[in-house]
Amino acid sequence: MKQEFFDGRALATISVFELTQRNRVEFLSLPVAPFFETIQIGEARTRGLEVEVSGEVTDGLRVIGGYAYLDNEITGGEDNVGKRLPLIAEHSANIWLAYHLLDRDDERFTVGGGVFFQDERFTDSANTAILPSYATVDLMAEYAFDVGDRRIRARAGVKNLFDEEHFVSGFGQGLSLRGTPRTLSLQVGLAF
């Protein structure tokens, strides 16, 4: 279902679904080898709800956000029937707000920030190891202006503002991939 709000300036989408996958595979890390092995999981079912919103809710304030609920289960195969699928969080959410402090034809100054949340998830189909849930915060500021017929943009950003230690992926019990630590960035671009 899709619905527009604020005279068409904002859009919300809601999806409810059930998916069945057959012959699904899982990647396993081998403890003594620098490569991955795959195994057949069998059949899996995912029931879910996804909500997305985006648009300009007031003059100068832009919102992008989403929430997902994914109830999944291994439903067939030789092993792990009734367990959750690896690396799929039950709950995840994000929201990003951007506000134009200055918005004219020849220049624009925008500030923004957002939060990304990921629920805990298992690293394997046997559900033996868990990656913990986490939330990260990002910030940005951008100044864009015209010089003649050229547009210059300068953007500064902070990813993972509070330097939250988190894991974005993992395989079996042996390998977990850390997320990005606090990262500062500065970009300057010229459009012509």
Side-chain angles (χ1 to χ4, degrees):
M1 180 178 89
K2 291 185 179 186
Q3 180 67 47
E4 287 185 347
F5 298 95
F6 305 109
D7 297 323
R9 294 185 309 175
L11 176 68
T13 304
I14 298 174
S15 303
V16 178
F17 56 87
E18 180 173 326
L19 302 171
T20 301
Q21 296 174 300
R22 291 178 181 84
N23 300 318
R24 187 176 167 101
V25 297
E26 173 184 4
F27 291 96
L28 297 177
S29 64
L30 299 177
V32 295
F35 56 88
F36 295 97
E37 176 185 15
T38 60
I39 62 166
Q40 286 281 346
I41 291 178
E43 183 179 275
R45 182 195 66 231
T46 302
R47 293 178 178 148
L49 165 75
E50 291 183 350
V51 178
E52 296 178 10
V53 294
S54 65
E56 191 170 345
V57 294
T58 65
D59 287 339
L61 178 61
R62 184 148 188 82
V63 176
I64 301 170
Y67 168 76
Y69 169 73
L70 301 174
D71 177 25
N72 65 66
E73 178 181 3
I74 298 172
T75 55
E78 294 180 22
D79 299 317
N80 303 323
V81 172
K83 305 270 185 168
R84 289 187 57 83
L85 287 169
L87 303 178
I88 299 176
E90 188 172 13
H91 302 276
S92 61
N94 63 76
I95 188 161
W96 180 263
L97 301 171
Y99 186 69
H100 302 307
L101 294 172
L102 174 66
D103 191 4
R104 298 192 298 223
D105 288 340
D106 60 343
E107 64 181 332
R108 174 184 280 175
F109 181 62
T110 307
V111 294
V115 178
F116 175 82
F117 169 76
Q118 184 82 32
D119 201 2
E120 65 184 19
R121 54 258 175 253
F122 292 101
T123 60
D124 61 2
S125 60
N127 294 175
T128 56
I130 296 176
L131 295 175
S133 61
Y134 67 91
T136 58
V137 175
D138 298 345
L139 297 176
M140 62 76 69
E142 180 181 86
Y143 181 59
F145 58 96
D146 293 340
V147 176
D149 61 346
R150 310 247 190 257
R151 186 78 165 176
I152 297 175
R153 292 180 189 267
R155 174 182 275 205
V158 180
K159 187 170 180 64
N160 192 4
L161 176 67
F162 300 111
D163 203 20
E164 175 75 20
E165 183 179 61
H166 61 289
F167 298 92
V168 294
S169 189
F171 300 96
Q173 294 184 34
L175 177 64
S176 295
L177 304 175
R178 290 186 186 272
T180 304
R182 181 185 306 121
T183 305
L184 307 175
S185 64
L186 179 60
Q187 301 170 335
V188 177
L190 173 66
F192 53 96

